[in-house]
Every structure is written in structure tokens, then in C-alpha cells.
Amino acid sequence: MNKKGLLVVSFGTSHHDTREKNIVPLETLLAEAFPDRTCYRAYTSRMILDILKKRDGLTLPTVPMAMEQLIQEGITDLLVQPTHIMNGLENEQMKEDIMLWKNQLDSLAFGAPLLTSTRDQEDLIQAVMEEFPPLKETEALMFMGHGSSHYANTVYAALDYAFKHQGHPHVYVGTVEAYPDLDTVMEDLKREHIRRVTLAPLMLVAGDHARNDLAGDGPDSWKSILESHGFETSCVLKGLGEYPGIRKLYIRHAKEALPL
């Protein structure tokens, strides 16, 4: 008889409050959606795992550690659901790590990251826009994604286009480390005569990037740079894991996962 497991894989965060608001509830809801599976967790960011261990004495498993544990506990049917935003470097490495144990499993299935299909973009847009009031003519909403050197980074520009195609002309998507960057988005803001910008993270958690790169008081934050260009700003430090519609999207992905 197969013993079933569910492994929820996250990049992770060093901030306890946003972990409790975003990652933990998502893990709980996924576990509840699969009551016949024993739930495990893993983080992919070695930097975050090191911070948690050194600062807090908290040891959370890497993907290999979690795989060793669940194999030892007799799991033979494994469903893996990442909380990653896209099919980028972290997700590819996670899959490579898990595939090393494939021969010890009777069944292995991977759920898709958040933004994988066109439908996912549509569902994300609906989920987040339900949480914001309508924008006035001179107002904009700008989401900050992380960005990546991976080719999957094109999902951010595609999402920006999708917002506008679905009737949200003044919603923008930028990234910290790739394209579209803040300068690119600011060109659009100026062209559209925007005066007030609401900033929000397009990340699972509202961690370091949201608190420092997005909303920080330093001169290099998006908030400070926008204000130096004459825009009024406000910040909503809410991770995607806090949106009910986003949680449902991850659960849908887990339920749609097919064994390899």
C-alpha cells in the first residue's frame, strides 16, 4: 500500500511575521486539501536557512533533507507543490534535487509554480485586484517582482500586458533585478501623467525586498526614487500568500499535478 506525502517547497524568508502570514497558512491549506497525505516542508534559499539557524537557532529542512526524511518515513507516493512564483532557477534546482530520489518512489508529481499558464495570469489579476480600490485617473498601482536572469523572467512583462488587457491600464509590474525595471515603468507613469503610486510586492512574502527595496527610507528604494521624481507614494506590504485567491491558485495547481 502506498504511503502518500505532500512536500511544500518555498524559497523562504527570514522574517517570522511574514512567514506566519504567507507561507505557514499556505502550507496548512495545502495539507487540508490533501488529508490523505503526510505534509512536509522545505526551503530552497541556503542564505535564509543559514540566517534562521544562526540568528534564531531554527533549523528548517533543505529539499534534500526533506526528501531523506520522507523516504525514511516510508513515503512512496509524493506530490510536490512549490510556492515559487515562476518556473525559474529555484524551481529547476528543486526539481533536479528531488529527481535524485525518483527511483525510490512509486509515484512522483510536481505542481506548477504560481505563474505558469495564461489562466494563472488571469486568476492572479482577479485575486489581487479584488483587494485594491478602483484607481483614479492620475493614480497607479505598481507591483514589484524579484526578477531573474532566467528566460522565465518574461512572465513579468507578460503579466504587465495582461493587467492592461484585462481593463487595468494603470497597473504596472516591475522587477528589482531584471526587466521591466523601475526606470522602464517610470517612463510609462510620466507618459500617463500619473501623480500617485501605490506600491506592493509581487512576491510570496513581504520580506527584505518589500521592506527595503520597495518601501525603505533609503535613497535607493522604489518609494524614495519615485518621490524624488515628484510622485506621491503609499506602500502595501502584503505578500501574495495573504491573498485568498492566490492560495486557491496554488491549491488548484497541486490538484492538477500529474505523476511523471
Side-chain angles (χ1 to χ4, degrees):
M1 180 178 177
N2 279 351
K3 185 175 181 182
K4 297 182 177 182
L6 167 66
L7 175 58
V8 183
V9 181
S10 302
F11 180 82
T13 178
S14 61
H15 295 274
H16 295 303
D17 56 344
T18 196
R19 182 172 68 246
E20 293 299 321
K21 290 178 181 177
N22 292 279
I23 296 176
V24 173
L26 186 51
E27 290 171 341
T28 300
L29 287 171
L30 283 163
E32 290 173 354
F34 297 91
D36 59 334
R37 292 182 179 272
T38 303
C39 192
Y40 301 84
R41 71 154 64 99
Y43 278 12
T44 58
S45 172
R46 173 58 68 180
M47 180 184 68
I48 286 171
L49 290 167
D50 289 345
I51 290 172
L52 292 173
K53 187 170 185 178
K54 183 176 180 180
R55 186 191 67 195
D56 306 324
L58 179 61
T59 299
L60 291 174
T62 61
V63 169
M65 288 168 61
M67 290 301 298
E68 287 177 5
Q69 180 186 355
L70 65 88
I71 291 293
Q72 287 176 0
E73 293 179 4
I75 298 299
T76 57
D77 178 334
L78 181 63
L79 169 60
V80 182
Q81 180 57 52
T83 66
H84 300 145
I85 302 300
M86 63 181 191
N87 291 278
L89 298 171
E90 293 288 326
N91 206 67
E92 286 185 351
Q93 184 61 56
M94 177 269 294
K95 283 188 171 183
E96 286 182 19
D97 290 342
I98 289 174
M99 288 301 288
L100 295 175
W101 277 269
K102 186 177 185 298
N103 291 339
Q104 299 182 57
L105 296 164
D106 295 332
S107 178
L108 173 62
F110 290 99
L114 184 67
L115 290 173
T116 299
S117 68
T118 301
R119 180 186 172 189
D120 294 340
Q121 293 184 0
E122 295 168 351
D123 287 352
L124 180 143
I125 290 169
Q126 181 177 346
V128 298
M129 294 313 295
E130 287 175 351
E131 305 290 318
F132 289 93
L135 294 168
K136 297 178 182 177
E137 189 175 339
T138 57
E139 293 178 336
L141 172 60
M142 187 192 304
F143 287 101
M144 173 193 269
H146 187 277
S148 172
S149 59
H150 192 276
Y151 62 83
N153 187 77
T154 54
V155 73
Y156 292 111
L159 183 62
D160 180 273
Y161 182 89
F163 268 111
K164 293 164 178 58
H165 188 70
Q166 291 197 32
H168 306 288
H170 288 172
V171 177
Y172 299 88
V173 178
T175 69
V176 187
E177 298 186 1
Y179 177 87
D181 58 12
L182 178 58
D183 289 341
T184 301
V185 178
M186 272 203 299
E187 291 177 12
D188 294 336
L189 297 176
K190 291 174 181 178
R191 185 167 56 248
E192 293 294 322
H193 305 292
I194 299 297
R195 295 176 187 170
R196 181 174 179 80
V197 183
T198 299
L199 296 164
L202 190 77
M203 305 175 188
L204 184 72
V205 301
D208 282 329
H209 283 302
R211 299 179 191 203
N212 299 318
D213 298 319
L214 183 75
D217 293 326
D220 296 330
S221 75
W222 283 18
K223 172 179 174 288
S224 296
I225 292 170
L226 285 164
E227 289 175 352
S228 73
H229 283 262
F231 297 98
E232 296 177 38
T233 68
S234 61
C235 300
V236 178
L237 296 185
K238 181 176 180 179
L240 291 178
E242 295 181 57
Y243 295 85
I246 298 296
R247 294 174 178 178
K248 290 178 183 176
L249 208 167
Y250 278 114
I251 291 169
R252 172 170 69 77
H253 282 186
K255 289 184 175 179
E256 290 176 350
L258 298 173
L260 298 179

